[in-house]
Amino acid sequence: MKFMYDDVEVSIARLLEQMTLEEKIGQLMQLSPSLFGAFGLTKDEIIAQMVNGELSYEEFSQIGRDYHEDKIRAGLIGSMGGVTGAAKVNELQRIAVEESRLGIPILFGLDVIHGYRTIFPIPLAEACSWEPELARETAKIAAKEAAAAGLHWTFAPMVDIARDPRWGRISEGAGEDPYLGSLMAAARVKGFQGEDLSNPSALLACAKHLVAYGGAVGGRDYNTVDMSLQMLHDVYLPPFKAAAEAGVGTFMSAFNDLNGIPCTANRYLLSEVLRKQYGFQGFVVSDANSVAEVMVHGYAETRKEASKKALMAGVDMDMSHGTYEEDLPQLLAEEQLSHADLNEAVRRVLRMKFALGLFENPYRTTPEQEQRLLLAPEHLTLAREAAQRSIVLLKNENEALPLSRGNKKIALIGPLADNADEMLGAWAISGNPNNVVTIREGIAAAAGGDTQVVYAKGCEIDDNKSDFTEALEAARGSDVVIAVVGESSNMSGEAASRLNLGLPGRQEELLKALHAAGKPLIVVLVNGRPLSIPWAAEHADAIVEAWQLGTLSGHALADVLFGDYNPSGKLVATFPHSAGQVPVYYNHPNTGRPTGEFKFTMKYLDGSTEPLYPFGYGLSYTTFAYERLTLSQSEVTADGRIIAEVDITNTGNRFGEEVVQLYVSDVVASRVRPIKELKGFAKVALQPGECKRVAIELEVASLGFHNEFLEYVVEPGRFMVYVGPNSKDGIESEFVLIS
Ligand code: GLC
């Protein structure tokens, strides 16, 4: 998507000529509705005044409105975060457009990460569908609802590669792989932005968090990141490059420092890579308060110096109030910043407002439009389908699943079995639990009249005192036990790193007690990260990874449990056997002593180096056979293409879909290469007994890497090709790249 057009650039130039210094700086700040600190009072002081009755909530709100309205009327607010509702947005926009001196419209933004009011599965779950087109469609609907509610800009998609499930924000992205992560990044950008940003249903997207935020040491959110530039360009940057190529209008700089320089003040990242190498024409927004935090990192003596470094590095808008607003006038007065620097940042912000059509059409929605579009039936239908396709079947033995609808007594147990709030997952800011179909409701609706569902909570998500009596009675009197366990929504997402990757509280004890009842035990996981569940993996009859599926959780899960939808999801992040293995991921080098029987090879004295479930893993209610892998050539040049073909047969008795995965290994290179890298996949639907010959095209140019001189190279030599159902199993072939 192109943003620079001559006529727009002329309009921007004219505006810049008219704008005062204050008006220009106002375009570079995003005011959040959080009034705390908005007018020199700390949060505690404001709360104290309200508690003491010195300040009523109405007065508090009015202060906020006055504060905002005065500044809007003075043309000093370029963007607002967190304000929603067609009526509210139009009211504030009217002040900006009709009462301020130049009538520059405000950019209203919010975190619309996986849906606005219709909440879709968390992004990590949706990525397990391996369907970029589905991700594009849900992003499109999210944009439609959010735009109807007055929003212009979403702080999404989050495209951070994450190899460490201790890091709670793994829930917000597309997992550990750069190839799949890049496809999902591009799909989500295109879904949010559509073909034309000036379409009133489009949202300006924001690829975040630039960069390598998921590489934080120890999986501790906000922690330092240190890695080679080769690793950065080969693994962590590709989804950002894909977002840029997909035409994303904004990027968000990350909280973390990268190799000693905070991302929010990192000129190499924000100017060299993003603008020179990727040709990005939009604007960069900081993360919340991350400009000021450049000082906390120890990269600036004062906040003013932090502001200078951030703006000079390429952060155009400050997501907070007070930093740029207060520091830029001084920096300009002291000639530490030039007016040319300031104008360039303002130009980029105005360019996006023109691209959105806000100057021609500042009131893009109405309360009636909002009322009509939120939770529209077709949105809920998509939410159910997306949720079905996000579910991953991890284990299914003794024909535990799918459940039959004969007269059955189902014991439905667990702290997440009848819970609406926790189905939405992290960053479901505008979702409403009242709209959620709980798992209990979904199962009851699907089970049919002859089946009795007996529910007992069993324990809390994270407590140490619950009594299992009622749950065990229900289990003993049932034909099958469904235990729904996992995490609360706030156990993943931001500031939610976990040391322990097991089930919180006494949930595993509950599973063991239920297992002792001797009935078939189906474990359903509701969680925002890969979990380490070796006991369940060994003892449960079936395990369904349901993630946090959003508004239609209950129906979608029931569709899978009763076989109305045959699960087709595949993991996009490795499930470790234990937190001690982390980081554990599939695309790792071979090393000189790969794990083996011999003592002096890579191993732990007290556990396996193998993950519990590998990247790309997921079962079906049917089975598939892979045969007859052929390559279109045995030799190819760097500018060539190879077509891999393989026979996939549905060898079971039920319709199913399979994600056929193609991995490549560059056997010998000028830097050691991963033993496998995902370089293609195809999701195929097969009737029982049906065979299809699946072709996956491989662009040889995509097999390169950044060498020791940071040049992207595709080197001659032998390449292995693996095609299979996950990153571990499959059939192989090979070809030679000739120079
Ligand atoms: C948060 C997050 C970022 C989000 C922003 C606005 O701190 O890091 O992902 O978009 O603030 O809510």
Side-chain angles (χ1 to χ4, degrees):
M1 183 177 284
K2 194 170 160 299
F3 295 116
M4 289 177 82
Y5 296 95
D6 294 347
D7 57 338
V8 169
E9 296 305 303
V10 167
S11 305
I12 291 172
R14 282 209 194 100
L15 258 181
L16 283 170
E17 281 164 9
Q18 300 170 64
M19 292 170 80
T20 64
L21 181 64
E22 263 196 325
E23 287 165 336
K24 289 179 182 177
I25 292 171
Q27 289 300 311
L28 305 187
M29 99 171 178
Q30 180 183 88
L31 193 60
S32 72
S34 152
L35 306 174
F36 305 126
F39 29 88
L41 288 176
T42 66
K43 184 171 183 172
D44 294 341
E45 286 166 336
I46 290 178
I47 289 171
Q49 286 192 15
M50 289 175 73
V51 168
N52 301 337
E54 296 164 41
L55 186 69
S56 73
Y57 188 75
E58 291 65 34
E59 287 167 333
F60 163 75
S61 304
Q62 190 51 46
I63 289 174
R65 281 166 55 91
D66 295 346
Y67 172 78
H68 287 159
E69 290 180 8
D70 293 347
K71 288 183 81 82
I72 292 171
R73 195 167 284 111
L76 303 183
I77 294 186
S79 174
M80 293 187 80
V83 176
T84 59
K88 172 82 175 166
V89 166
N90 286 345
E91 179 195 332
L92 296 175
Q93 189 72 300
R94 190 196 53 74
I95 297 171
V97 170
E98 297 172 27
E99 295 185 28
S100 76
R101 195 174 71 86
L102 294 172
I104 298 174
I106 293 173
L107 189 62
F108 288 90
L110 183 77
D111 295 282
V112 181
I113 309 297
H114 51 110
Y116 179 73
R117 184 57 44 80
T118 301
I119 300 298
F120 298 105
I122 57 170
L124 184 67
E126 185 183 70
C128 290
S129 68
W130 291 55
E131 296 182 36
E133 272 319 296
L134 173 68
R136 180 171 179 166
E137 196 54 31
T138 59
K140 180 182 168 189
I141 298 305
K144 204 168 180 180
E145 289 196 356
L151 289 161
H152 309 135
W153 182 24
T154 176
F155 312 131
M158 186 273 214
V159 302
D160 298 304
I161 293 292
R163 293 172 152 176
D164 189 333
R166 293 171 294 181
W167 188 54
R169 304 201 76 167
I170 192 171
S171 67
E172 303 171 42
E176 71 191 50
D177 183 73
Y179 177 83
L180 183 64
S182 298
L183 290 174
M184 286 294 172
R188 287 170 170 157
V189 165
K190 290 175 180 170
F192 285 127
Q193 297 192 160
E195 297 305 321
D196 172 8
L197 265 181
S198 66
N199 180 321
S201 294
L203 272 193
L204 179 62
C206 180
K208 69 183 187 183
H209 306 81
L210 191 61
V211 72
Y213 184 21
V217 170
R220 293 190 289 279
D221 203 3
Y222 315 116
N223 202 5
T224 186
V225 174
D226 202 302
M227 64 176 68
S228 70
L229 291 181
Q230 284 80 5
M231 171 68 78
L232 193 71
H233 283 273
D234 287 344
V235 176
Y236 288 85
L237 274 170
F240 290 92
K241 184 176 183 184
E245 288 168 352
V248 72
T250 65
F251 282 86
M252 182 183 290
S253 65
F255 286 121
N256 56 284
D257 68 86
L258 172 67
N259 300 337
I261 299 177
C263 292
T264 299
N266 196 310
R267 186 191 291 263
Y268 171 71
L269 266 186
L270 302 174
S271 295
E272 170 57 34
V273 173
L274 200 51
R275 297 201 182 272
K276 288 201 187 119
Q277 293 182 21
Y278 296 175
F280 174 59
Q281 299 173 340
F283 73 83
V284 175
V285 64
S286 75
D287 204 333
N289 207 39
S290 67
V291 173
E293 288 163 17
V294 169
M295 187 171 64
V296 182
H297 277 281
Y299 191 66
E301 188 73 38
T302 63
R303 198 192 67 182
K304 187 170 70 174
E305 187 189 356
S307 294
K308 175 185 173 185
K309 289 189 169 181
L311 192 88
M312 296 295 286
V315 172
D316 304 301
M317 185 185 285
D318 164 28
M319 182 183 277
S320 78
H321 30 271
T323 308
Y324 274 9
E325 184 185 23
E326 291 164 15
D327 298 343
L328 296 191
Q330 293 176 40
L331 289 164
L332 289 158
E334 296 159 7
E335 295 185 351
Q336 290 198 54
L337 274 180
S338 72
H339 286 271
D341 295 324
L342 176 71
N343 287 348
E344 181 52 27
V346 178
R347 185 175 294 115
R348 291 165 178 167
V349 173
L350 293 177
R351 188 176 291 142
M352 288 302 108
K353 293 187 175 181
F354 274 102
L356 280 161
L358 290 179
F359 284 89
E360 294 76 31
N361 177 21
Y363 314 112
R364 304 203 306 171
T365 182
T366 65
E368 297 69 31
Q369 168 106 327
E370 179 179 12
Q371 179 67 28
R372 186 165 50 79
L373 281 178
L374 266 49
L375 296 169
E378 62 273 22
H379 301 175
L380 297 175
T381 302
L382 179 65
R384 181 169 183 164
E385 184 192 345
Q388 289 168 346
R389 294 174 167 278
S390 302
I391 292 171
V392 184
L393 180 62
L394 296 177
K395 183 180 183 182
N396 187 25
E397 290 178 357
N398 313 319
E399 296 184 340
L401 288 176
L403 295 170
S404 69
R405 281 195 168 90
N407 53 352
K408 262 209 180 309
K409 196 167 182 182
I410 297 175
L412 178 62
I413 312 290
L416 290 155
D418 190 26
N419 184 313
D421 293 333
E422 308 307 347
M423 296 301 111
L424 294 178
W427 293 107
I429 293 177
S430 309
N432 184 338
N434 296 331
N435 308 133
V436 166
V437 178
T438 67
I439 289 173
R440 184 180 185 185
E441 288 163 341
I443 289 175
D450 297 344
T451 302
Q452 190 189 353
V453 179
V454 179
Y455 163 72
K457 193 173 192 177
C459 67
E460 297 304 326
I461 294 170
D462 191 7
D463 76 340
N464 288 301
K465 59 185 184 312
S466 4
D467 174 80
F468 298 160
T469 307
E470 187 191 359
L472 296 182
E473 276 170 14
R476 290 189 192 105
S478 73
D479 300 306
V480 62
V481 178
I482 300 175
V484 186
V485 292
E487 298 177 312
S488 59
S489 296
N490 63 18
M491 288 180 176
S492 59
E494 185 172 356
S497 297
R498 288 184 64 201
L499 272 175
N500 169 356
L501 295 176
L503 291 169
R506 301 186 65 207
Q507 296 182 84
E508 183 164 284
E509 285 174 64
L510 175 64
L511 293 184
K512 289 176 178 174
L514 293 171
H515 181 258
K519 307 289 181 170
L521 175 62
I522 296 163
V523 173
V524 173
L525 299 173
V526 173
N527 47 304
R529 59 161 47 82
L531 293 177
S532 164
I533 48 162
W535 183 89
E538 186 178 342
H539 296 93
D541 294 281
I543 301 177
V544 178
E545 175 51 82
W547 305 111
Q548 288 136 345
L549 292 171
T551 306
L552 273 289
S553 291
H555 287 327
L557 178 66
D559 292 338
V560 165
L561 293 176
F562 286 94
D564 297 333
Y565 179 76
N566 183 358
S568 62
K570 301 275 187 177
L571 296 179
V572 296
T574 301
F575 274 48
H577 212 277
S578 97
Q581 291 178 323
V582 170
V584 59
Y585 46 90
Y586 87 94
N587 45 354
H588 59 78
N590 198 38
T591 78
R593 293 199 174 183
T595 300
E597 291 308 312
F598 178 47
K599 173 176 173 54
F600 299 98
T601 55
M602 176 170 35
K603 61 166 59 67
Y604 295 108
L605 293 178
D606 52 353
S608 164
T609 57
E610 283 301 304
L612 189 61
Y613 301 111
F615 175 84
Y617 178 85
L619 301 177
S620 168
Y621 292 148
T622 187
T623 50
F624 299 97
Y626 286 71
E627 292 156 324
R628 231 166 40 93
L629 170 60
T630 61
L631 301 181
S632 53
Q633 296 112 283
S634 56
E635 284 192 354
V636 67
T637 53
D639 59 352
R641 291 163 185 271
I642 282 194
I643 310 283
E645 290 187 332
V646 63
D647 285 347
I648 306 294
T649 306
N650 178 342
T651 49
N653 56 15
R654 167 190 295 270
F655 169 82
E657 295 155 287
E658 172 72 333
V659 180
V660 179
Q661 301 160 41
L662 183 145
Y663 296 86
V664 172
S665 163
D666 183 350
V667 181
V668 176
S670 62
R671 280 182 60 238
V672 295
R673 306 298 305 127
I675 57 169
K676 277 185 182 177
E677 289 182 284
L678 181 71
K679 291 295 181 185
F681 62 86
K683 190 162 187 177
V684 290
L686 293 166
Q687 294 299 337
E690 184 181 6
C691 173
K692 279 182 182 170
R693 185 145 185 83
V694 176
I696 298 176
E697 183 166 340
L698 194 54
E699 263 199 63
V700 177
S702 71
L703 305 183
F705 59 95
H706 288 78
N707 67 11
E708 59 186 307
F709 309 108
L710 209 52
E711 298 152 340
Y712 182 78
V713 294
V714 187
E715 294 178 344
R718 186 165 148 252
F719 285 78
M720 297 302 296
V721 176
Y722 307 91
V723 175
N726 58 59
S727 59
K728 276 264 178 280
D729 309 315
I731 51 183
E732 64 182 61
S733 182
E734 62 180 86
F735 67 88
V736 174
L737 174 56
I738 53 178
S739 42

